Amino acid sequence: MSQQFIIAPETIIQAYTLGIFPMAASKDAEEIQFFQPEVRGVIPLENPRIPKKLQRLLKKQPFVIQWNQNFPAVIDGCASPRSDTNETWINPTIRRLYISLHMLGFAHSVEVYQEENLIGGLYGVAIGGAFFGESMFSRVSNASKIALCHLMARLKYGNFKLLDAQFVSDHLIQFGVKPLEKEEFQKKLENAINNDSGLKLDVPETTVLHSLLHDNKVTS
C-alpha cells in the first residue's frame, strides 16, 4: 500500500515565491499538481479598469463586504459545482492547505454578504506586495465582481505591486487582465514579494473603495 506524500503549507508559500501554484486535477483527486504557465494572467493595479456599470453599482454599496470572517465558507463556495460544469480543482488537500495558510496569516478571503447571507467572494494568498488570486464564486449577480473590485481597491491602497490571476480568461478581460511571458512575470514577482506592502484591514472598506473610485484614475 503506497503512502501519500503530505505537503506542508510552507511548501505552498515557497512555490508561490518561485512563480508556481498548486491545483488538483479534480475534486476527487488524492494528490495535487504544481503549475508554472508560460503565459501568466496579471490584473494591473496602477490604473485599475472597472466597467462603468460596475462603478455605478459599487457607489451604491448594495452589499456588505468583510475580510477573513469565514474563510472555510468561501473556499467551499468556490469549490461548489458551477452551472456549466460539476468539476472543480479544489480537492480536500487544497482545502486543508489553504485553511492552514489562512491560519498562518497568508491566505485571505473577501466576502460579500446580503442580509447576513454569504452570496459571493474570493480567496487568495498575500506575500509581500504580491497577491495571488485563487478562485471566486457568486450566488447573486455581480457578487464575485464586486469582491474583485474591493480586492483591487485594497491592494492598490496597500501599495501592492502584483495581482496574479494565473490565467487570462474572458471573465477577467473586463478588468484589464494582461498576459505576461514567464520571464517578465518572474521579474515582476521578485520585485513585488520584496516590497513593503500591507492589506491595512484596519482601514474601513468605504475609505479604501473611495480611494479607488475617486482619488485615483479608474479606466472603464
Side-chain angles (χ1 to χ4, degrees), residues 133-150:
E134 282 299 320
S135 187
M136 61 178 64
F137 78 101
S138 186
R139 294 176 181 143
V140 173
S141 180
N142 291 315
S144 62
K145 294 178 183 178
I146 285 179
L148 179 57
C149 290
H150 278 266

Side-chain angles (χ1 to χ4, degrees), residues 2 36 38 58 93 138 145 155:
S2 62
Q36 189 178 30
E38 291 298 321
L58 285 165
T93 300
S138 186
K145 294 178 183 178
L155 295 182

Side-chain angles (χ1 to χ4, degrees), residues 40-69:
R40 200 69 165 253
V42 171
I43 298 177
L45 295 172
E46 296 82 5
N47 293 309
R49 178 187 296 178
I50 300 175
K52 286 185 177 180
K53 183 177 180 181
L54 198 54
Q55 290 185 42
R56 292 194 293 269
L57 185 60
L58 285 165
K59 290 176 181 179
K60 294 179 181 178
Q61 301 181 31
F63 307 126
V64 175
I65 308 299
Q66 299 282 356
W67 284 71
N68 299 328
Q69 296 303 301

Side-chain angles (χ1 to χ4, degrees), residues 24 26 45 59 75 85-87 94 96 100 112 117 154 219:
S26 71
L45 295 172
K59 290 176 181 179
I75 197 169
T85 177
N86 287 325
E87 284 301 317
I94 290 287
R96 172 185 63 81
S100 296
V112 184
N117 295 314
R154 191 162 290 278
T219 58

